[in-house]
């Protein structure tokens, strides 16, 4: 069946079976932080989550939703902001903005930061999306009211 994932400010993630309207999986532990952005990896094998402790965490998706402890991306500052996560169409790269207006790129497999750019002024780089067809193109937006195309 089709599943849906929600998160909340009380530091939990719920996985729902679409047809029955009841959570089938409850993900929570005392060390978790709120995760306002959750994105499905193109392989549909992972959930990629923006944690408000300045990390991007990865959970195995499918029947068993387990934190992949070795797969986390760090180096950006998102505390207090729901900065989007974008994943390249081939699943190789992850990018996110941060509260300082920067844009970060990581290698998904190795979780190593590859690049960082100053993307937006006067606030966070809040939105990021990969072009669905042109894999070398992506877009960001910030609280400065600017939308930028990156190639």
């Amino acid at each position: 069946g089709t599943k849906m994932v929600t998160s909340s400010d009380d530091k939990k993630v719920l996985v729902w079976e679409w047809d029955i309207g009841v959570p089938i999986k409850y993900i929570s532990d005392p060390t978790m932080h709120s995760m306002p952005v959750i994105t499905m990896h193109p392989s549909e094998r992972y959930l990629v989550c923006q944690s408000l402790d300045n990390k991007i965490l990865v959970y195995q998706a499918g029947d068993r939703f387990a934190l992949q402890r070795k797969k986390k991306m760090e180096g950006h500052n998102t505390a207090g902001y729901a900065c989007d996560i974008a994943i390249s169409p081939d699943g190789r790269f992850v990018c996110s903005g941060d509260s300082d207006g920067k844009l970060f790129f990581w290698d998904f497999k190795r979780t190593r930061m590859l690049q960082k750019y100053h993307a937006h002024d006067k606030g966070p780089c809040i939105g990021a999306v990969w072009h669905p067809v042109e894999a070398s193109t992506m877009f960001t937006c910030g609280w400065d009211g600017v939308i930028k195309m990156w190639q």
Side-chain angles (χ1 to χ4, degrees), residues 80-139:
Y81 296 93
C83 296
D84 274 344
I85 298 170
I87 304 171
S88 61
D90 62 8
R92 292 177 49 213
F93 305 105
V94 174
C95 79
S96 172
D98 85 342
S99 61
D100 299 322
K102 294 186 186 89
L103 177 64
F104 294 79
F105 290 86
W106 292 268
D107 177 287
F108 179 76
K109 188 174 185 178
R110 294 186 181 96
T111 68
R112 188 176 61 115
M113 187 190 303
L114 300 172
Q115 202 72 35
K116 133 176 109 168
Y117 299 99
H118 179 79
H120 294 274
D121 297 318
K122 300 177 188 158
C125 174
I126 202 77
V129 62
W130 226 282
H131 192 285
V133 178
E134 294 289 329
S136 63
T137 304
M138 64 164 311
F139 300 89

